[in-house]
Amino acid sequence: MVPFRLPALLSAGALATIAALSLGGCASETSAAQNPETQAAATAAATAAAQSTASQLTGGLTGALGLPNLSSTSTGNLAGVLNYCVTNNLTSGGAASGILSTASQQPGLTGSSDYSAGQQGILQAISNQTSTSQQYSLSSLAEPLRRKVCSAVSSRLQGML
């Protein structure tokens, strides 16, 4: 059998179906659903596809190049995101609250649309992969990743103040 590469954007379900159908043809007198080898291969394929999909969902945020470039992120957006982080208990210690308090004293900051977006967990940053401005929703990330982003935002905001 000649190996082939499937497109990376196939869903886990589609990949599992393809694997079951492909391997089902190799089974003799046993349907693909009843063949334990076919089931194991389909499960492995589905797991790999799910991991690939999860990686793609967060890849723009934390791909091989790490967190997005926060250098052009506005103070308002950083402060809003930090507010989101503090409100959702995604920061450790009281340092983030102190940084947020200092940032919030800047005139007009808390009334800006960037701040409002940040409060909703929307980080506006430059993607390291595409070098374009992107919006990242923190709420769609796993908690450990959200904590990592919150730490980076806190550090960046502290450096700006």
Side-chain angles (χ1 to χ4, degrees):
M1 180 172 204
V2 177
F4 61 96
R5 292 184 63 116
L6 293 173
L9 296 177
L10 284 177
S11 71
L15 191 55
T17 302
I18 291 169
L21 292 174
S22 297
L23 295 172
C26 298
S28 60
E29 297 185 33
T30 306
S31 74
Q34 295 172 337
N35 185 332
E37 290 174 7
T38 302
Q39 288 177 342
T43 300
T47 301
Q51 290 171 345
S52 174
T53 301
S55 175
Q56 290 168 5
L57 291 175
T58 60
L61 183 58
T62 60
L65 301 174
L67 293 172
N69 183 342
L70 300 177
S71 66
S72 65
T73 303
S74 71
T75 304
N77 186 243
L78 290 171
V81 169
L82 190 55
N83 184 312
Y84 171 89
C85 294
V86 169
T87 301
N88 290 286
N89 298 315
L90 297 170
T91 58
S92 57
S97 294
I99 295 166
L100 180 59
S101 177
T102 301
S104 297
Q105 294 175 9
Q106 293 186 359
L109 182 96
T110 58
S112 72
S113 60
D114 287 349
Y115 183 83
S116 295
Q119 281 185 300
Q120 296 171 25
I122 304 298
L123 175 64
Q124 301 164 342
I126 302 293
S127 167
N128 284 323
Q129 294 176 339
T130 64
S131 298
T132 61
S133 181
Q134 301 286 326
Q135 291 190 351
Y136 303 99
S137 174
L138 273 62
S139 64
S140 66
L141 302 175
E143 187 173 323
L145 190 52
R146 282 187 284 171
R147 288 185 182 279
K148 185 175 180 178
V149 171
C150 288
S151 176
V153 165
S154 181
S155 295
R156 174 67 182 146
L157 186 58
Q158 183 177 24
M160 294 174 74
L161 298 176

